[in-house]
Amino acid sequence: MKTAFYFFGLCIVGFCLCACNQQTKSTAGNVDTTAQFYTMDDFTSVEKFDVHIHVNTVETTFMEQAKADNFKFLTIVDDRPFGLTMYEQQEIVDRHLKNFPALMDVATTFSVADWDTPEWLPNTLSYLDKQFAKGVRAVKVWKNIGMDLRDKNGAFVMLDDERLDPVFDHLAKNHIAVIGHNGEPRDCWLPLDSMTFSRGYYSEHPEYHMYLHPEYPSYQDQIDARDHMLAKHPDLAFIGAHLGSLEWSLDELAKRLDSYPNMLVDLSRMPYLQLHAKTDWEKTREFFINYQDRLVYGTDRGISDQQDTAAFKQGIHEGWLRDWKFYVTEEPITLRGHGELRGLHLPKGVVDKIYLKNAERWLTGKADS
């Protein structure tokens, strides 16, 4: 009888140890079993950062809403051929930076108007240094390099042009980060009936539809030039705007993040992310968890003069709230033209990095620290 009870006792202990071990394995293998998650109710209380904003007005309505929603932001100056000039944009954001230093950071840019002159490089470096002395934290390189600027021989100037190397070296040396909007969505080089989200825009603006202009550099030319530039400047902190123009493929994006440790990307092409989630939810969620240190939240929202400030504030708030829903919940979301999907329900720690910590780290110019 004692032997029987002893044997029964060993079985009970063994069963308990086995069950405990199995539970430990399950917990270790599934991040959801132990992670804590945010809810919609946490939106206002969590400190957040939007790394892709364009403030083009002296009005302060946006700042008021950002403060109410617990957002800091990076406003970006572009060297674009329409709207306000880069100098007018810079004057506006300099004014705001003086008044809202705890709420915002600024990314400046540089002109290529005198590209083929001997004065271009010293003038550019001098201009950038003056901006950095005012507290500017980053530099934007726009798609005019690669899609518009030509040298005196008529050749397109690409991002890996050797004449840009001293600028990137100077930025890396001074721990200044770069934002790269290089090329356009891949849709730009596809026929209209092969496009995912851009069909309406390019049908109305054929002058920008690169499929109709084979004499321009190709989509792959833009990506290759960007990758070559990063290979030449491994110490440069770099953020690829709009998912690094690799919005169409998480696999291609992952390859670049694996190849270039100082590269991050902003998440400002939300429809593509939601389509990835609809197509393969597990893969998309795994991508966010695997690359949680390399992703930063951004919206690419343009801020101009407003006649109805209440409606504007509401629109800003609701847009930020929709994105929060996608990242922190599993609630159903409708993607126009593609149907319903569910939110990614990312762990709290991942959300904290995407919404704040990665941006703060990257804006030091030390993306790999």
Side-chain angles (χ1 to χ4, degrees):
M1 181 63 73
K2 290 182 178 180
T3 302
F5 275 111
Y6 179 72
F7 177 75
F8 178 73
L10 287 177
C11 289
I12 293 296
V13 172
F15 174 79
C16 292
L17 289 173
C18 181
C20 181
N21 186 51
Q22 183 64 36
Q23 183 179 8
T24 301
K25 288 182 179 179
S26 176
T27 301
N30 188 342
V31 67
D32 287 348
T33 60
T34 58
Q36 291 182 316
F37 300 90
Y38 288 122
T39 69
M40 296 302 294
D41 292 336
D42 295 313
F43 174 76
T44 303
S45 63
V46 176
E47 188 177 0
K48 301 173 291 294
F49 201 116
D50 188 329
V51 303
H52 201 143
I53 295 292
H54 297 278
V55 177
N56 296 314
T57 175
V58 296
E59 293 180 0
T60 61
T61 307
F62 177 76
M63 287 69 173
E64 294 165 8
Q65 189 58 47
K67 188 174 182 180
D69 283 336
N70 208 358
F71 259 102
K72 297 179 182 178
F73 63 93
L74 178 74
T75 185
I76 300 173
V77 175
D78 281 329
D79 182 23
R80 54 185 183 232
F82 54 84
L84 298 177
T85 68
M86 58 171 276
Y87 301 107
E88 291 171 322
Q89 296 171 56
Q90 190 69 55
E91 184 177 353
I92 288 172
V93 298
D94 285 349
R95 173 175 171 175
H96 287 312
L97 187 60
K98 289 180 181 178
N99 295 326
F100 302 96
L103 193 64
M104 61 182 286
D105 285 303
V106 175
T108 190
T109 191
F110 54 86
S111 174
V112 291
D114 57 348
W115 172 256
D116 275 315
T117 69
E119 293 78 25
W120 177 79
L121 180 60
N123 287 347
T124 297
L125 296 181
S126 175
Y127 177 80
L128 291 175
D129 285 342
K130 290 176 182 177
Q131 299 306 314
F132 303 149
K134 294 187 293 187
V136 167
R137 304 293 296 276
V139 172
K140 173 73 173 288
V141 181
W142 199 56
K143 62 187 178 184
N144 57 334
I145 297 177
M147 297 189 70
D148 179 61
L149 178 63
R150 300 183 191 231
D151 64 20
K152 59 186 177 183
N153 298 318
F156 282 94
V157 177
M158 305 301 287
L159 195 62
D160 60 346
D161 192 292
E162 62 181 11
R163 288 166 288 185
L164 288 167
D165 286 341
V167 175
F168 293 131
D169 288 338
H170 186 69
L171 299 179
K173 179 180 178 181
N174 288 278
H175 304 297
I176 299 295
V178 170
I179 305 168
H181 179 163
N182 313 119
E184 285 284 76
R186 193 181 65 149
D187 278 358
C188 184
W189 283 268
L190 298 177
L192 288 174
D193 59 4
S194 298
M195 291 183 178
T196 307
F197 291 109
S198 310
R199 192 173 303 165
Y201 176 80
Y202 290 117
S203 65
E204 296 176 3
H205 297 279
E207 68 274 22
Y208 300 136
H209 185 189
M210 290 298 103
Y211 176 76
L212 302 177
H213 304 284
E215 71 277 13
Y216 275 60
S218 68
Y219 169 79
Q220 196 60 48
D221 290 336
Q222 306 291 344
I223 298 300
D224 289 345
R226 190 273 314 282
D227 291 352
H228 185 215
M229 184 279 289
L230 291 175
K232 290 197 293 181
H233 303 279
D235 296 328
L236 183 68
F238 181 86
I239 182 170
H242 312 300
L243 295 169
S245 294
L246 293 163
E247 70 290 323
W248 60 280
S249 172
L250 294 181
D251 292 330
E252 289 297 317
L253 179 52
K255 288 179 184 178
R256 273 50 180 213
L257 295 177
D258 290 340
S259 298
Y260 308 111
N262 269 353
M263 179 182 182
L264 289 80
V265 294
D266 79 31
L267 303 172
S268 60
R269 284 196 175 137
M270 176 59 80
Y272 288 92
L273 292 172
Q274 293 185 342
L275 184 57
H276 287 308
K278 176 177 172 57
T279 303
D280 193 332
W281 186 88
E282 294 288 350
K283 177 179 179 179
T284 305
R285 188 171 189 274
E286 183 180 2
F287 173 84
F288 271 82
I289 292 173
N290 288 343
Y291 293 98
Q292 60 186 274
D293 295 317
R294 316 293 290 285
L295 310 173
V296 287
Y297 177 75
T299 57
D300 192 20
R301 187 180 294 275
I303 311 300
S304 56
D305 293 338
Q306 301 296 321
Q307 292 183 339
D308 189 339
T309 57
F312 174 72
K313 286 183 176 182
Q314 182 178 356
I316 294 290
H317 172 73
E318 291 177 351
W320 275 333
L321 204 59
R322 284 193 300 270
D323 291 351
W324 182 259
K325 177 181 178 181
F326 174 67
Y327 291 121
V328 309
T329 81
E330 284 189 288
E331 295 180 20
I333 294 169
T334 299
L335 178 59
R336 183 182 300 179
H338 295 272
E340 192 173 277
L341 58 126
R342 59 177 168 140
L344 294 179
H345 198 218
L346 296 172
K348 214 180 242 189
V350 177
V351 174
D352 286 339
K353 289 182 179 180
I354 290 171
Y355 266 94
L356 181 65
K357 294 180 180 179
N358 292 343
E360 290 182 333
R361 175 171 53 90
W362 169 75
L363 284 173
T364 66
K366 300 177 181 179
D368 62 345
S369 61

